[in-house]
Amino acid sequence: MLLHLHPVDPQPRQIKTIVECLQSGGIIIYPTDTLYGLGCDIFQHKAIERIARIKNINPDKANFSFVCYDLSDLSTYTKSISTSLYRLLKNHLPGPYTFILPSSKEVPKILKSKKNTVGIRVPDNTIARTIVKELGHPILSTTLPGEMVEEYTDPELMEANFNKLVDIVIDGGIGGMTPSTIIDCTGDEPILTRKGLGEWEDESSK
């Protein structure tokens, strides 16, 4: 199903349909401030396994991130972080960044990495954040499978390619072609691990 959502003022009825789909174990393709993402409710094991199959990976080897509405989810899904690190996140989010942080016990076991970390995203995208807000907890975020980035900007093409694998494709306009910038914050200093759309100066050199 292809759902057209207004990028600035998404229709509540459509959001309700999406949230109900997620709550019942559905998978969605949705817009972020970078690429379109493949997502599900983080507490729906079967949906996580479906996404892992679509991507042809083991759930425990996957680098799934959490899309959060804001930083209030940090205290639930990550271990306590320093004031300076919190300030760093606050300065960059919402925005095109994924921050790798130590995960808390609240992260579902199937999503725990071997290193006990979790990627946190707060995209600067109203549709994605409204879905999370209405759902009441984060949704899983991962990139679509394969290398065909050009095909992953047009929701109609995505619907044509993935309609048998996912439940809803959200059309929130043409998507970007550059992924998020990944910052590993599990050590003493934040380390840039992937340069994406988000600007990043080496904070330690300031």
Side-chain angles (χ1 to χ4, degrees):
M1 174 167 41
L2 186 66
L3 283 185
H4 298 269
L5 265 71
H6 193 283
V8 180
D9 190 15
Q11 305 88 315
R13 193 169 49 86
Q14 305 281 53
I15 293 289
K16 186 169 182 282
T17 300
I18 294 159
V19 168
E20 285 170 356
C21 169
L22 291 168
Q23 287 169 334
S24 63
I27 294 177
I28 62 171
I29 292 176
Y30 63 98
T32 71
D33 51 358
T34 57
L35 311 169
Y36 265 77
L38 187 59
C40 68
D41 184 324
I42 59 168
F43 295 115
Q44 294 288 340
H45 275 220
K46 285 193 165 55
I48 294 165
E49 287 166 355
R50 270 177 69 197
I51 285 182
R53 278 200 299 278
I54 290 170
K55 293 200 66 167
N56 206 14
I57 47 176
N58 288 333
D60 59 352
K61 289 195 172 62
N63 292 317
F64 294 140
S65 300
F66 285 14
V67 169
C68 303
Y69 176 70
D70 58 20
L71 292 179
S72 64
D73 282 322
L74 282 184
S75 57
T76 306
Y77 301 105
T78 69
K79 289 188 175 151
S80 60
I81 59 173
S82 67
T83 309
S84 58
L85 181 51
Y86 183 81
R87 202 175 294 129
L88 176 78
L89 269 58
K90 203 166 166 40
N91 287 342
H92 289 81
L93 298 173
Y97 300 88
T98 302
F99 287 97
I100 309 295
L101 299 163
S103 60
S104 73
K105 290 190 173 69
E106 298 302 314
V107 172
K109 224 184 220 79
I110 192 172
L111 291 172
K112 269 196 194 297
S113 72
K114 294 273 191 291
K115 297 178 187 150
N116 276 345
T117 59
V118 62
I120 297 289
R121 280 273 275 131
V122 183
D124 190 9
N125 180 282
T126 304
I127 292 172
R129 291 180 68 214
T130 304
I131 292 166
V132 169
K133 189 178 186 188
E134 291 306 312
L135 181 63
H137 53 255
I139 55 175
L140 178 142
S141 171
T142 186
T143 52
L144 288 152
E147 303 297 319
M148 311 277 286
V149 175
E150 303 74 34
E151 287 189 6
Y152 298 159
T153 60
D154 184 341
E156 291 192 358
L157 264 178
M158 288 184 269
E159 209 270 334
N161 290 338
F162 290 100
N163 64 2
K164 290 187 175 64
L165 297 171
V166 305
D167 300 283
I168 294 174
V169 177
I170 298 164
D171 182 351
I174 295 296
M177 291 176 66
T178 311
S180 64
T181 291
I182 300 178
I183 311 294
D184 186 338
C185 298
T186 55
D188 295 337
E189 296 287 339
I191 295 168
L192 174 72
T193 58
R194 179 179 76 192
K195 176 74 183 84
L197 191 62
E199 289 300 314
W200 187 260
E201 292 174 35
D202 184 358
E203 301 285 326
S204 59
S205 67
K206 285 183 180 177

